[in-house]
Amino acid sequence: MFTGSTLLESSRLDALLKAAVLAVMIVLIHLSWLLGGVSLAGFLRDPLRSRIVNVLFGLILVGTTVLALIR
């Protein structure tokens, strides 16, 4: 992901900085997923709403797959 660019002259410090940036990105992405799941948890306790969300996500998944295959 970061191998094509050089951030610092020292290769060791460059690798450490890239690893630190990647670690921060991983934490932020996981926190985002956690907050998204927590915000949907109450909504998904209702079986009808849960089914609608599952069908909607399924349609989105199929749609993105079709778009990827077209391109």
Side-chain angles (χ1 to χ4, degrees):
M1 172 184 262
F2 297 112
T3 59
S5 62
T6 303
L7 301 175
L8 299 172
E9 295 287 328
S10 168
S11 63
R12 184 177 179 150
L13 289 176
D14 187 60
L16 288 174
L17 179 61
K18 289 177 185 179
V21 169
L22 187 58
V24 169
M25 288 173 54
I26 290 169
V27 169
L28 291 176
I29 290 167
H30 281 79
L31 282 175
S32 299
W33 276 111
L34 177 66
L35 292 175
V38 167
S39 67
L40 286 176
F43 184 76
L44 295 176
R45 287 198 175 98
D46 178 29
L48 179 61
R49 288 181 179 172
S50 179
R51 176 70 58 175
I52 291 171
V53 169
N54 281 334
V55 170
L56 180 65
F57 281 164
L59 290 173
I60 292 170
L61 179 61
V62 169
T64 55
T65 302
V66 168
L67 287 174
L69 291 174
I70 290 173
R71 293 182 182 204

